[in-house]
Amino acid sequence: MPGVSDGLVQARGLRKDSGDVHAVRGIDVDVGRGEVFGFLGPNGAGKSSAMRMIACVSPRSGGTLQVLGMDPYVDGPKIRARIGVVPQLDNLDAELTVRQNLEVYGRYFGMSRAAVRAKATELLAFAQLTDREGDEVEPLSGGMKRRLSIVRSLVNDPELLLLDEPTTGLDPQARHLLWDRLYRLKRQGVTQLITTHYMDEAEQLCDRLVVMDGGLIVAEGSPAELIGRYSTREVVELRFPLDDAPPVAELEQLVERLEVLPDRLLLYAADGEAVLAAAHQIGIRPLSSLVRRSTLEDVFLRLTGRRLVD
Amino acid sequence: MTTVDTTATAPVVRSPAVSSWRAVLLVMEHFWTWYRRNWRATIVGSVVEPLLFLVAFGLGFAVLVNNGGRLAELTGGLPYIVWLAPALLTMNTLQIATFESSYPVVSGFKWQRIYWAITATPVTAAQAGVGHLSWIAVRMLTSGVVYVAILVPFGGVRDGGIVVSLLAATLCGAAFAAPVMAFATVVRKEGPAFGALFRFVLIPMTLFSGTFFPVDALPVWVRPLAWATPLWHGTELARGAALGSLQLWPSVGHLAYLVVLLVVGMLLVQRQFRARLYR
Amino acid sequence: MSAPAVPSAPLLRIFPVGGYAGRSKMIMMRSALVYRRAWLAIVSGFFEPVFYLFAMGQGLGTYVGTLPGPNDAPLSYAAFIAPGLLAASAMNGAVFDSTFNVFFKLRYERLYDAMLATPLGVVDIALGEIGWALVRGGLYALGFLSLMAVFGLLTSPWALLALPAALLVAFAFAAVGMAATSYMRSWQDFDLVTLATLPMFLFATTFYPLSVYSEPVQRIVQCLPLYHAVELMRGLTTGAVDWSMLWHVGYFVVMIAIGVVIAARRLNALLLR
């Protein structure tokens, strides 16, 4: 394969069809060593399909894919021996204890009993689960199960970690604890591939990300680059009484871009306060106003639209 | 039924917006609504399986017992299937009772959580429990009617006494279902618990309680175990009714055993449902 | 699979590519670990055929008397049904392990998805689960045979071969059971499992000889896998052994081959979508 650097994942024109559904319709991805790379997109965008192909549990329908320099279709077991996978839904072994979950899983990688025992002790501490090691999995909280899933994927010291929506359904404390653990792994040089539809998570964790929609990549870059490219520095949100038609035409003169939502107007501009002052001057009196920094969420909604996808 | 039985675990007193009887009927209506959509799912369990057992034991064993030469001693001259039929009816009813009062009850608390939904209305926890138990009794009775209808063409029914057998079978089933339901409210790992219940209680009971052969054919030391089971009492009643051989005092004894078990079971169900739902 | 170049050695055409890492032993160890904590479930499985043997052999046996055995020597009713129950429990145990348990792990626990995130492949999973069913079935068969020996129901040294025969039978039912499970969509479909195993348990000469049936029914019964298992066991425990019994063995070898190949391919299709 031409141009194989130390890229851990390299996809060219990667496709996945299942029946008539074209889940992934030709994407190019390069993930370098030590990088934290994000797949963003609404439900059904093809993120999880892409992840499954990279995890060697879904044969591709077309294009090329190299993971750790090998072809997942041919060398699935060899690749899986060197990666870690955190699935979207926890699939912990409910019939085993917390510690046994780690040890049995480690044995599947061919590790010795002594090695898995030592590794389990280390990982339980990392996940702050040491005092629950003899408990069954079922009574654990959602955050604890998620942490256990994550450390389970680390049992083989993976070079590449695949995390499919790692924090969905967790409370804020649990999310922040998880982010901290993932950041430490990054510091240790573990390459991470993350899918998420939480923009704050992507901004927190990812060095680089792609936005997927309808099975295609619609944008690529660092969080800051994407905000710079697809949004403005600031956003002004204005609310008007529901019965009155908002003064869209007047406001459009003042800003780069304006978006009309059912309950408010969004004004995209470099300087939000200035826009607000100008609006006041021409006699516009909204019910309420808010000036905030532009986020990845604005980029995401712009690229993938506001319609509901399910 | 006592609705405002203030035990220590039940500090919640609700205004009785519906009467107790009505509440129980409403809970049964809930299960009926579900059943109307899902009755097909129960056909294998409550029609096909009993039919297979009937053919295997009523016809197959009959050949063996006829050839064994001691049939008259066993049945007093009647065909084996006539002797067997009321007992199989009772056994089948007991099996339905056990299945319906085990996993579905756990589901009501744990998976589908319908009891929580029911007690968010004016219906109380105790009424939810008794309502479900009453529904199980209806299921047993209707399955029993189907079973009797199947028995007729096999020549298993002698006369109208089978109607009394049907009632005895249902009483027997309910008397066992009630304590099983109470058990189902406390099990933490239902898989192993019910596995043990089925394998160490239900199956031995169906084999040793006089269904296929009289308890007298067992060694002396096993007989008291058989006499202690509700199925033996139910079988004696049902068989006596079907063959017209009921005697007053033994029947009163069987009846008293089953009624006491049912009442104690129902009290336990009410207590447990309160303890679990009004925590 | 269109684009990737696929190595096509003959074996890899039958079994999925990359599906075997040679670590199915680890999956059996997992099961052993689970059941070390749930030993009651294991022990209870042993008692079911024992209860049947005791109730039917002792209780009903009083009224049945003796039956003609495979070489027409009279057999007590207990000695007649014991090999039948041995065969039936090999079937029931293997079917339960390979259907209910596998379905739960496949659809609810998603345990196999977790295993596939490691170097393990679908063939490891199929063989590991079937292997555990065999270990468990072997323990039951050993226990039941010992009990038969204690009660004098084994009348021939050939009975030693009943243990491997039970494993063969269990292997065949586990393989086919697992293949069938891969087609199941909901718990409702498990009624079909009952509809397959219960009639066999009741009618495949477990409880009474083939001669109670009319000629055409006998033909049907003779096609059932459990019939072959019961014949095999009854021949071995009573010492009525001849070359024709290899037909029964052949029957199960074919079942194993078909079951394992279908199970591995179907699991591959289900898990590696």
Side-chain angles (χ1 to χ4, degrees):
Chain A
M1 173 136 308
V4 176
S5 55
D6 63 344
L8 292 196
V9 178
Q10 188 182 64
R12 291 289 175 270
L14 183 61
R15 287 197 297 109
K16 178 73 193 180
D17 312 317
S18 28
D20 293 339
V21 182
H22 305 293
V24 179
R25 300 192 295 167
I27 59 172
D28 297 347
V29 177
D30 288 280
V31 181
R33 193 172 288 274
E35 200 175 19
V36 176
F37 187 90
F39 280 105
L40 263 66
N43 292 334
K47 314 183 295 283
S48 292
S49 298
M51 286 291 256
R52 284 176 54 84
M53 286 190 276
I54 296 168
C56 317
V57 290
S58 175
R60 64 185 181 275
S61 309
T64 61
L65 178 62
Q66 297 263 307
V67 180
L68 301 167
M70 293 177 277
D71 180 343
Y73 187 71
V74 180
D75 289 315
K78 274 190 209 156
I79 297 171
R80 294 199 301 251
R82 290 167 55 191
I83 66 177
V85 178
V86 180
Q88 193 173 358
L89 300 167
D90 288 315
N91 53 20
L92 296 163
D93 195 328
E95 294 176 283
L96 298 175
T97 64
V98 169
R99 173 177 272 278
Q100 284 173 338
N101 257 281
L102 298 178
E103 293 186 353
V104 166
Y105 204 73
R107 296 283 286 158
Y108 293 154
F109 286 93
M111 296 163 68
S112 75
R113 279 173 205 285
V116 290
R117 214 170 295 139
K119 193 74 197 174
T121 305
E122 173 199 326
L123 291 174
L124 285 168
F126 183 71
Q128 299 187 5
L129 286 169
T130 305
D131 51 336
R132 303 298 297 266
E133 66 172 21
D135 290 3
E136 299 226 333
V137 168
E138 208 31 59
L140 298 186
S141 72
M144 289 178 179
K145 283 184 190 165
R146 214 61 192 136
R147 259 142 54 206
L148 183 56
S149 283
I150 289 178
V151 291
R152 190 185 66 177
S153 72
L154 298 175
V155 80
N156 57 328
D157 288 316
E159 295 162 56
L160 171 67
L161 192 56
L162 308 180
L163 301 123
D164 201 352
E165 297 188 13
T167 65
T168 299
L170 298 186
D171 64 25
Q173 286 83 355
R175 291 180 79 197
H176 283 271
L177 179 57
L178 263 180
W179 287 349
D180 168 64
R181 300 293 121 153
L182 294 178
Y183 185 68
R184 288 184 197 206
L185 289 172
K186 175 183 157 70
R187 295 272 301 267
Q188 290 167 20
V190 178
T191 311
Q192 299 175 36
L193 234 73
I194 298 177
T195 75
T196 184
H197 44 222
Y198 292 129
M199 299 306 130
D200 53 342
E201 182 160 289
E203 282 192 74
Q204 279 274 343
L205 298 175
C206 297
D207 301 320
R208 212 151 56 81
L209 50 87
V210 292
V211 178
M212 284 189 74
D213 195 23
L216 291 169
I217 290 175
V218 292
E220 180 174 0
S222 72
E225 278 169 20
L226 287 173
I227 292 171
R229 202 177 317 149
Y230 295 101
S231 191
T232 50
R233 202 172 72 87
E234 290 187 330
V235 182
V236 185
E237 300 196 6
L238 300 181
R239 280 175 202 274
F240 292 91
L242 276 181
D243 304 331
D244 301 355
V248 175
E250 292 95 317
L251 287 169
E252 248 172 354
Q253 318 270 312
L254 305 175
V255 293
E256 286 183 33
R257 193 159 68 85
L258 181 147
E259 201 173 352
V260 184
L261 303 188
D263 61 334
R264 68 211 135 106
L265 298 182
L266 297 189
L267 283 61
Y268 295 87
D271 184 345
E273 293 294 346
V275 169
L276 204 54
H280 268 271
Q281 276 205 329
I282 57 173
I284 291 170
R285 296 283 180 274
L287 277 183
S288 69
S289 59
L290 168 73
V291 178
R292 60 170 174 80
R293 280 210 28 207
S294 199
T295 66
L296 210 45
E297 189 141 340
D298 298 305
V299 175
F300 185 82
L301 288 173
R302 172 149 191 213
L303 289 171
T304 62
R306 286 187 186 271
R307 78 211 134 76
L308 264 183
V309 264
D310 253 322
Chain B
M1 199 185 70
T2 47
T3 46
V4 210
D5 178 3
T6 40
T7 59
T9 49
V12 185
V13 179
R14 285 160 187 241
S15 61
V18 290
S19 73
S20 323
W21 284 110
R22 179 114 193 282
V24 168
L25 286 175
L26 288 172
V27 174
M28 291 170 73
E29 187 184 316
H30 181 165
F31 285 99
W32 163 243
T33 310
W34 179 88
Y35 189 72
R36 242 178 14 200
R37 289 173 52 84
N38 295 284
W39 60 273
R40 286 174 202 83
T42 63
I43 283 188
V44 169
S46 51
V47 179
V48 180
E49 282 185 36
L51 187 65
L52 290 171
F53 273 100
L54 179 66
V55 173
F57 296 133
L59 303 183
F61 278 3
V63 175
L64 296 186
V65 175
N66 281 333
N67 296 343
R70 295 176 63 181
L71 182 67
E73 193 183 321
L74 181 68
T75 68
L78 292 166
Y80 183 65
I81 192 164
V82 173
W83 186 83
L84 187 66
L88 277 183
L89 169 66
T90 315
M91 179 181 108
N92 184 47
T93 308
L94 183 89
Q95 283 172 337
I96 291 174
T98 314
F99 295 137
E100 291 289 322
S101 58
S102 51
Y103 281 103
V105 174
V106 168
S107 172
F109 284 113
K110 218 165 136 177
W111 303 318
Q112 302 199 5
R113 303 175 69 83
I114 56 166
Y115 298 139
W116 304 95
I118 290 172
T119 50
T121 74
V123 176
T124 67
Q127 288 161 350
V130 174
H132 194 169
L133 183 61
S134 311
W135 167 251
I136 295 171
V138 171
R139 278 272 289 121
M140 290 189 286
L141 202 61
T142 49
S143 299
V145 170
V146 173
Y147 201 80
V148 170
I150 294 171
L151 283 171
V152 173
F154 280 90
V157 175
R158 203 163 143 260
D159 56 30
I162 198 81
V163 175
V164 181
S165 307
L166 181 58
L167 295 176
T170 306
L171 173 64
C172 172
F176 191 62
V180 171
M181 249 180 117
F183 175 63
T185 62
V186 293
V187 293
R188 289 186 54 206
K189 294 180 140 193
E190 62 287 335
F194 291 147
L197 176 74
F198 296 159
R199 283 175 150 162
F200 288 124
V201 180
L202 182 64
I203 288 178
M205 191 150 66
T206 57
L207 289 171
F208 293 101
S209 298
T211 308
F212 304 103
F213 51 86
V215 171
D216 296 343
L218 291 169
V220 182
W221 58 273
V222 187
R223 292 178 207 166
L225 290 176
W227 295 331
T229 64
L231 183 57
W232 180 72
H233 295 278
T235 303
E236 288 292 301
L237 278 178
R239 181 173 281 149
L243 306 185
S245 59
L246 280 183
Q247 291 172 307
L248 178 62
W249 289 110
S251 305
V252 169
H254 297 314
L255 214 52
Y257 176 99
L258 294 176
V259 168
V260 168
L261 187 59
L262 177 61
V263 169
V264 171
M266 269 176 64
L267 290 174
L268 282 175
V269 165
Q270 296 185 36
R271 199 186 74 167
Q272 288 307 128
F273 268 63
R274 276 192 218 106
R276 183 92 187 252
L277 292 166
Y278 295 157
R279 217 168 11 186
Chain C
M1 184 53 41
S2 52
V6 179
S8 55
L11 189 67
L12 297 181
R13 282 177 181 274
I14 299 173
F15 288 119
V17 182
Y20 189 53
R23 292 214 184 107
S24 43
K25 196 182 83 184
M26 299 304 175
I27 292 174
M28 292 169 67
M29 308 253 279
R30 175 207 165 262
S31 296
L33 198 57
V34 167
Y35 280 101
R36 218 164 61 187
R37 295 151 47 80
W39 55 271
L40 187 66
I42 290 265
V43 173
S44 70
F46 165 74
F47 280 98
E48 196 168 325
V50 174
F51 287 140
Y52 267 93
L53 177 62
F54 188 52
M56 297 307 178
Q58 170 86 24
L60 199 66
T62 315
Y63 298 93
V64 172
T66 59
L67 290 175
N71 43 9
D72 291 329
L75 273 182
S76 75
Y77 191 54
F80 180 83
I81 60 170
L85 290 169
L86 178 61
S89 81
M91 170 185 81
N92 284 331
V95 168
F96 187 82
D97 266 334
S98 64
T99 57
F100 289 89
N101 287 351
V102 166
F103 189 75
F104 184 72
K105 290 177 193 166
L106 186 66
R107 305 273 171 163
Y108 290 85
E109 272 197 320
R110 294 183 300 276
L111 201 61
Y112 301 140
D113 290 302
M115 290 176 181
L116 286 180
T118 75
L120 297 182
V122 285
V123 179
D124 293 284
I125 293 173
L127 290 182
E129 293 290 44
I130 292 172
W132 173 251
L134 290 190
V135 169
R136 189 165 157 175
L139 288 173
Y140 290 156
L142 189 63
F144 196 76
L145 281 165
S146 314
L147 196 85
M148 284 172 72
V150 169
F151 285 95
L153 301 175
L154 297 180
T155 51
S156 154
W158 284 106
L160 286 174
L161 284 182
L163 183 61
L167 291 178
L168 180 75
V169 171
F171 195 167
F173 278 105
V176 171
M178 197 176 229
T181 304
S182 68
Y183 290 94
M184 308 249 177
R185 289 148 302 162
S186 72
W187 291 110
Q188 197 56 51
D189 291 342
F190 283 88
D191 278 347
L192 298 172
V193 176
T194 310
L195 286 181
T197 55
L198 185 64
M200 281 203 271
F201 175 61
L202 294 173
F203 302 115
T205 73
T206 316
F207 293 108
Y208 30 83
L210 198 61
S211 59
V212 304
Y213 301 114
S214 61
E215 179 80 10
V217 179
Q218 290 190 6
R219 286 286 148 73
I220 297 171
V221 171
Q222 283 173 317
C223 296
L224 301 175
L226 187 62
Y227 168 79
H228 294 273
V230 174
E231 285 294 298
L232 196 56
M233 297 300 175
R234 201 165 273 150
L236 289 170
T237 56
T238 58
V241 174
D242 61 61
W243 289 109
S244 72
M245 289 172 77
L246 288 178
W247 282 114
H248 304 311
V249 175
Y251 189 105
F252 292 112
V253 171
V254 171
M255 262 177 92
I256 290 169
I258 294 175
V260 169
V261 170
I262 293 182
R265 294 184 129 191
R266 284 282 307 165
L267 281 182
N268 201 57
L270 280 179
L271 292 167
L272 308 180
R273 291 185 306 277

